[in-house]
Amino acid sequence: MNQKIKSIRPFIGAANFALSRQFYQDLGFEEVLLSKSLSYFKMGAFGFYLQDAYVRDWIDNSMIFVEVDDVADFWNSLLALNLTTKYESVKIVPIRTNDWGRECFVHDPSGILWHFGEFN
C-alpha cells in the first residue's frame, strides 16, 4: 500500500455526553459539534470523536496515548485545571518513569484512560 495517512481519529464513548463535552473543553480541546450525539474534539492537528454512546466493556477497555513535549510541564498545567474538584469521577495519576520515558494519566468522566507521555 502506498498511501499517506493524514490523521488518525479514534471514536470514544461517554456515559454522560454533556459532562464529557465540558471536560474535554476544560482540558483544552476545541469542540466541533457534528450532531446532537457526536462531536469532534481537536487540539492542533490532532483530534478524536466523542459519541453519546456508552458500552461499559468498551469504555472500560479504552486507552489513548498522547505524546507531549514535556510531561512535567503538561502535569503542572493539568494540576492547575483542578479537574478532580470539578468532576467527581475524574482521576489523575502523577508522572511515572518507565524504561522508555515518562507519563502521567487522566481518567475522564466515563473512565477512559488517557496516557500523556514523553519518550526518552
Side-chain angles (χ1 to χ4, degrees):
M1 180 182 286
N2 191 19
Q3 297 291 319
K4 181 180 178 185
I5 295 175
K6 294 173 71 174
S7 72
I8 187 166
R9 299 177 180 188
F11 285 78
I12 62 172
N16 180 324
F17 189 56
L19 183 69
S20 290
R21 288 175 59 206
Q22 185 60 56
F23 170 79
Y24 286 111
Q25 290 171 23
D26 289 349
L27 199 54
F29 288 92
E30 177 186 343
E31 181 183 20
V32 178
L33 188 61
L34 301 173
S35 73
K36 67 178 186 157
S37 61
L38 182 67
S39 287
Y40 176 62
F41 283 88
K42 63 183 180 175
M43 188 178 293
F46 302 97
F48 63 94
Y49 294 101
L50 180 69
Q51 302 176 89
D52 187 6
Y54 182 75
V55 177
R56 185 176 180 149
D57 286 343
W58 172 40
I59 298 294
D60 286 350
N61 288 288
S62 293
M63 293 189 288
I64 299 174
F65 184 91
V66 178
E67 183 180 0
V68 296
D69 286 330
D70 183 335
V71 74
D73 185 51
F74 182 86
W75 174 253
N76 290 329
S77 297
L78 190 61
L79 289 176
L81 296 174
N82 294 314
L83 296 172
T84 57
T85 302
K86 187 171 183 181
Y87 300 96
E88 182 178 321
S89 59
V90 168
K91 298 175 192 165
I92 61 173
V93 179
I95 297 170
R96 293 184 184 166
T97 301
N98 304 296
D99 292 341
W100 55 264
R102 302 181 329 142
E103 66 182 332
C104 63
F105 307 90
V106 177
H107 297 262
D108 85 349
S110 300
I112 292 174
L113 177 58
W114 287 77
H115 298 241
F116 294 93
E118 65 178 280
F119 296 101
N120 291 336

